[in-house]
């Protein structure tokens, strides 16, 4: 079905309210992006989200929008605490999938002779691919429940990192209100062997070089400089999160029926925020989100261990410290100003990043003058970006911006394009080493499978919903 | 005889399955899931697991059936190769999943499937054949 679109300016498009929609859709995209989007179902999904009860403001889509399930990937929607709903489909299966960026005191050029050994060490020390886990790390049931309550703080308490790490994680690495009792045995069982694992697909671990600084003041605040070696970690809540989502979708399907909520797509099933189902889902989701924070914290410890092993330097010399850690798939209670009135809203971000502006109380003290860091991975052959949040994002997108490049090719199409090519050799020729558990992943994750993330962040910057700080160039990529 | 074909999706993958009966349909859908998990040809089964799933209707039953295959893969390391539906009604399924145990000596799956989703989920009976369509989150 074709979706009615009205161009607002060169980076904003309105989907006017009609039919069952309760509000407009607002899509941030270039004309080229919009043409591509009209070939798939992402815009229909923006419209579907606009039909949900209690939605406040428009149903939003960031410039990396693409076809998801239920919500589009790149979708943001805020809901009123009294009339609104919470939907597991607005969070996704990989609850708190996110990105963490580590900076270092290392010059990437000096590390070049050791790069292959570093990539090997990361591939060895950080379990990646389906079914892999560290033999020396075992999580007992009682401990797993503590992970769900405490998130990254659990990992730090057990020697995996420092308190300073926690200061640079969204929500301090622990979402309050998590209730492990609302997480099923099946979810606990799936999670137990997967804490501290990268996973597969688009998840990755990347050694990078800061290639260009766009905003000297913000870069200085974030501790970034040209030529610096950085490390990015992209993963989430693994099987535990997938199971929590699956469990609660069933509950929400029944709840939607019981509360008389009409659904344009079953994956959008939801419950009122005031209902027991809605409250319980948020508590279970918080538990899974905490598992993801702990997951990235453990991986950080093993990244540090890998650098120490290969370079023979201690923590004091490496100074691999957390720049920031952001959630991509989450629903959270936040304070926002709507039509001049301060309101508490439940903001869903499905493949979108929080982007709070300078001065916001939830931005870490070190970044208070420049804004919350926003980490935008690209593909493994080009670059990633570091941005900061802006007042524009606060005013227009409930303090949200994009989360990545967004796929343009299906996995089949990417595989067809990669057939007969040696992708690893191609990337190596451009100075990028790849270590991957499976060849299929590399073929399906080829750079051409993604939009150019530079085009995505260009729209973000032009629309004023994020400010570009730095561009990072991959040097070594570990994939599952 | 059940059949399946894989559906293109920008991020994920879909399955369209058909069969002359619900049992054939559910077997074909599981074979579609197996085809998404690995590009390797089928291997002889070394282990079997009995499963029982319930749902409110065939749609929920299908999601629960596919997701228990993924659960067994993650928790037991059982890579699914063959499927036997022993009894099926709109609300209950009992059957067996045959597969190979991922013990480090055989190649791991090519893809991680997070879950079978409810997005555009459909199970219908048309002209004496059963047809299902669903999308997987990868």
């Amino acid at each position: 079905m074709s979706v009615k679109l009205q161009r607002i300016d060169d980076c904003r498009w309105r989907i006017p309210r009609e039919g069952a929609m309760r509000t407009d859709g607002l899509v941030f995209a270039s004309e080229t992006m919009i043409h591509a989007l009209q070939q798939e179902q992402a815009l229909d999904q923006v419209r579907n989200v606009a039909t949900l009860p209690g939605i406040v403001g428009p149903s939003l889509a960031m410039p990396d929008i693409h076809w998801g399930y239920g919500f589009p990937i790149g979708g943001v929607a805020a809901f009123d605490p009294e009339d609104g709903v919470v939907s597991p489909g607005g969070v996704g299966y990989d609850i708190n999938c996110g990105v963490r960026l580590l900076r270092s005191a290392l010059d990437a050029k000096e590390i070049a002779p050791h790069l292959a050994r570093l990539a090997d060490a990361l591939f060895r020390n950080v379990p990646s691919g389906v079914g892999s886990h560290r033999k020396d790390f075992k999580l007992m049931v009682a401990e797993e429940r503590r992970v769900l309550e405490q998130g990254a703080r659990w990992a730090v308490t057990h020697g995996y990192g420092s308190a300073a790490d926690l200061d640079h994680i969204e929500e301090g690495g622990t979402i309050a209100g998590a209730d492990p009792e609302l997480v099923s045995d099946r979810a606990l069982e799936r999670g137990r062997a997967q804490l501290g694992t990268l996973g597969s697909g688009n998840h990755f671990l990347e050694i990078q070089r800061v290639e260009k600084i766009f905003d000297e003041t913000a870069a200085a605040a974030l501790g970034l400089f040209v030529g610096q070696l950085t490390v990015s970690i992209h993963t989430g809540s693994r099987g535990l999160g997938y199971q929590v989502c699956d469990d609660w979708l069933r509950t929400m399907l029944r709840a939607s029926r019981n509360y008389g909520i009409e659904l344009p797509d079953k994956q959008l099933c939801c419950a009122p925020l005031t209902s027991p189902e809605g409250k319980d889902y948020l508590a279970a989701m918080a538990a899974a989100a905490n598992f993801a924070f702990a997951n990235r914290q453990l991986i950080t410890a093993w990244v540090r261990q890998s650098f120490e092993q290969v370079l023979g330097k201690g923590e004091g010399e490496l100074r691999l410290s957390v720049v920031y850690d952001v959630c991509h798939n989450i629903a959270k209670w936040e304070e926002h100003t709507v039509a001049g009135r301060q309101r508490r809203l439940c903001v869903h971000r499905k493949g979108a990043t929080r982007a709070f502006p300078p001065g916001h109380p939830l931005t870490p003290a070190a970044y208070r003058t420049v804004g919350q860091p926003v980490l935008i991975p690209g593909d493994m052959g080009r670059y990633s970006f570091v941005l900061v949040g802006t007042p524009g994002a606060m005013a227009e997108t409930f303090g949200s911006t994009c989360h990545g490049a967004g796929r343009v090719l299906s996995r089949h199409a990417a595989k067809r394009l990669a057939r007969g090519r040696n992708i690893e050799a191609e990337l190596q020729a451009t100075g990028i080493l790849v270590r991957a558990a499976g060849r299929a992943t590399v073929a399906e994750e080829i750079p051409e499978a993604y939009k150019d993330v530079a085009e995505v962040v260009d729209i973000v910057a032009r629309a004023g919903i994020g400010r570009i700080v730095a561009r990072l160039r991959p040097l070594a990529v570990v994939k599952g | 005889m059940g059949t399946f074909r894989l559906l293109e999706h920008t991020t994920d993958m879909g399955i369209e399955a058909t069969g002359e009966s619900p049992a054939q349909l559910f077997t074909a859908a599981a074979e579609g899931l197996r085809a998404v998990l690995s590009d390797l040809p089928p291997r002889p089964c070394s282990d079997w697991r009995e499963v029982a799933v319930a749902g409110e209707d065939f749609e929920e039953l299908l999601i629960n059936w596919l997701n228990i295959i993924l659960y067994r893969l993650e928790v037991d390391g059982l890579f699914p190769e063959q499927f036997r539906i022993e009894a099926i009604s709109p609300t209950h399924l009992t059957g067996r999943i045959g597969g190979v145990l991922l013990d480090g000596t055989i190649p791991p799956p090519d893809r991680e499937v997070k879950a079978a989703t409810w997005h555009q989920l459909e199970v219908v009976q048309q002209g004496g054949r059963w047809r299902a369509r669903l999308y997987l989150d990868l």
Side-chain angles (χ1 to χ4, degrees):
Chain A
M1 200 190 299
S2 80
V3 174
K4 228 182 254 174
L5 271 172
Q6 295 169 347
R7 185 179 191 140
I8 300 171
D9 57 26
D10 63 351
C11 44
R12 287 175 183 80
W13 304 75
R14 180 186 299 113
I15 301 175
R17 180 181 171 179
E18 62 176 357
M21 290 170 73
R22 295 168 194 261
T23 183
D24 288 346
L26 176 60
V27 181
F28 292 83
S30 66
E31 191 160 4
T32 315
M33 290 170 180
I34 280 288
H35 284 310
L37 286 168
Q38 284 171 319
Q39 310 307 310
E40 52 167 51
Q41 299 178 35
L43 298 175
D44 296 275
Q45 293 181 319
V46 175
R47 197 170 54 180
N48 288 346
V49 172
T51 69
L52 294 177
I55 186 166
V56 175
S59 164
L60 295 157
M62 303 298 111
D64 51 339
I65 174 182
H66 53 281
W67 183 15
Y69 38 88
F71 271 54
I73 312 296
V76 176
F79 293 88
D80 180 82
E82 299 303 320
D83 307 324
V85 293
V86 60
S87 171
V91 173
Y93 287 91
D94 196 355
I95 295 166
N96 188 10
C97 180
V99 177
R100 175 178 290 211
L101 177 68
L102 309 178
R103 62 179 175 241
S104 76
L106 302 169
D107 183 322
K109 263 193 209 144
E110 288 170 23
I111 299 307
H114 310 286
L115 194 61
R117 284 197 302 132
L118 275 171
D120 291 338
L122 289 174
F123 190 57
R124 193 172 54 242
N125 289 332
V126 180
S128 60
V130 184
S132 70
H133 57 92
R134 271 179 77 121
K135 303 282 179 283
D136 62 350
F137 179 79
K138 200 168 167 60
L139 192 64
M140 308 311 278
V141 182
E143 281 303 310
E144 190 178 15
R145 291 182 193 278
R146 287 187 196 105
V147 170
L148 301 186
E149 284 168 351
Q150 300 170 17
R153 201 171 67 236
W154 177 89
V156 167
T157 307
H158 287 74
Y160 300 96
S162 67
D165 294 343
L166 302 179
D167 293 338
H168 299 95
I169 305 175
E170 191 168 331
E171 304 293 334
T174 310
I175 295 188
D179 187 350
E181 296 304 318
L182 295 167
V183 173
S184 68
D185 288 345
R186 193 172 281 186
L188 291 169
E189 207 176 354
R190 284 179 80 167
R192 210 164 299 138
Q194 294 189 347
L195 189 64
T197 66
L198 196 60
S200 185
N202 66 354
H203 294 153
F204 66 81
L205 185 55
E206 196 170 279
I207 302 176
Q208 306 151 319
R209 172 172 58 88
V210 178
E211 188 177 49
K212 187 172 178 181
I213 298 288
F214 296 84
D215 184 325
E216 292 286 350
T217 308
L222 271 54
L224 300 176
F225 55 88
V226 170
Q228 181 183 26
L229 184 140
T230 59
V231 178
S232 278
I233 300 162
H234 176 215
T235 188
S237 52
R238 313 287 291 110
L240 183 136
Y242 314 161
Q243 189 66 49
V244 167
C245 180
D246 185 49
D247 291 338
W248 284 88
L249 282 168
R250 264 182 289 276
T251 304
M252 292 304 197
L253 279 162
R254 288 161 184 67
S256 301
R257 258 196 327 258
N258 294 343
Y259 295 107
I261 301 167
E262 281 192 33
L263 301 172
D265 180 350
K266 282 187 173 176
Q267 192 76 24
L268 284 177
C269 59
C270 54
L273 284 155
T274 52
S275 69
E277 295 93 334
K279 288 175 183 168
D280 285 354
Y281 167 70
L282 280 172
M285 181 217 69
N290 288 340
F291 184 92
F293 281 135
N295 193 32
R296 293 195 285 274
Q297 186 64 36
L298 282 175
I299 290 173
T300 299
W302 293 329
V303 167
R304 287 170 173 151
Q305 178 194 47
S306 304
F307 274 76
E308 286 170 19
Q309 283 171 353
V310 172
L311 301 178
K313 293 178 188 238
E315 215 174 298
E317 285 178 283
L318 296 170
R319 281 187 277 148
L320 276 163
S321 52
V322 179
V323 175
Y324 205 57
D325 179 314
V326 289
C327 314
H328 285 166
N329 290 348
I330 202 83
K332 285 202 304 199
W333 288 110
E334 292 174 358
E335 295 286 332
H336 290 277
T337 305
V338 182
R341 190 160 66 90
Q342 184 85 358
R343 292 176 67 175
R344 183 170 179 259
L345 301 172
C346 182
V347 180
H348 292 57
R349 297 191 180 94
K350 172 79 188 77
T353 311
R354 195 181 78 174
F356 282 175
H360 195 283
L362 293 181
T363 298
Y367 309 139
R368 198 68 52 83
T369 57
V370 295
Q372 177 219 300
V374 175
L375 313 170
I376 311 296
D379 58 75
M380 62 180 169
R382 284 179 277 197
Y383 28 62
S384 297
F385 284 87
V386 179
L387 284 74
V388 283
T390 57
M394 215 55 194
E396 208 173 359
T397 57
F398 301 102
S400 312
T401 195
C402 67
H403 87 307
R407 281 190 84 96
V408 284
L409 293 184
S410 70
R411 282 159 206 270
H412 272 135
K415 255 175 78 177
R416 274 195 297 273
L417 202 59
R419 197 165 293 147
R421 291 164 56 185
N422 184 334
I423 304 299
E424 283 102 325
E426 283 180 24
L427 289 167
Q428 190 162 356
T430 66
I432 304 166
L433 300 180
V434 178
R435 299 288 183 272
R439 284 190 65 84
T441 304
V442 176
E444 290 168 13
E445 292 287 311
I446 52 171
E448 300 96 311
Y450 288 88
K451 277 181 215 164
D452 182 346
V453 70
E455 291 173 16
V456 173
V457 297
D458 176 58
I459 293 291
V460 162
R462 278 162 46 198
I465 57 170
R467 199 166 83 243
I468 303 172
V469 176
R471 187 172 71 216
L472 313 175
R473 164 99 180 145
L475 299 173
V477 185
V478 175
K479 298 285 285 185
Chain B
M1 180 75 182
T3 60
F4 72 85
R5 71 182 182 99
L6 300 182
L7 305 173
E8 297 263 323
H9 183 286
T10 319
T11 313
D12 303 310
M13 281 167 107
I15 300 169
E16 189 175 78
T18 61
E20 287 165 15
S21 64
Q24 282 188 3
L25 179 79
F26 276 56
T27 304
E31 287 165 353
L33 173 61
R34 191 271 176 219
V36 171
L37 287 167
S38 175
D39 298 333
L40 290 174
R43 293 161 287 201
C45 298
S46 60
D47 279 79
W48 289 85
R49 294 285 184 284
E50 291 192 4
V51 294
V53 290
E56 283 194 347
D57 51 30
F58 274 129
E59 290 185 349
E60 184 176 347
L61 200 67
L62 181 62
I63 294 296
N64 294 349
W65 161 238
L66 297 179
N67 284 340
I68 204 161
I69 295 169
L70 295 172
Y71 166 72
R72 287 285 162 216
L73 169 61
E74 274 193 17
V75 172
D76 301 344
L78 183 75
F79 182 87
E81 292 288 1
Q82 284 186 41
F83 311 93
R84 301 268 183 271
I85 309 282
E86 281 156 5
I88 186 166
S89 74
T91 56
H92 287 88
L93 177 155
T94 54
R96 295 196 304 151
I97 306 164
V100 288
L101 285 176
L102 297 174
D103 57 3
T105 63
I106 58 167
D110 289 320
R111 281 163 216 96
E112 182 177 64
V113 176
K114 295 186 183 103
T117 79
W118 295 79
H119 173 54
Q120 296 185 353
L121 171 65
E122 201 175 62
V123 178
V124 291
Q125 190 181 16
Q126 280 174 336
R129 276 188 82 78
W130 288 81
R131 190 176 63 79
R133 183 192 57 196
L134 68 120
Y135 287 94
L136 304 170
D137 183 16
L138 267 68

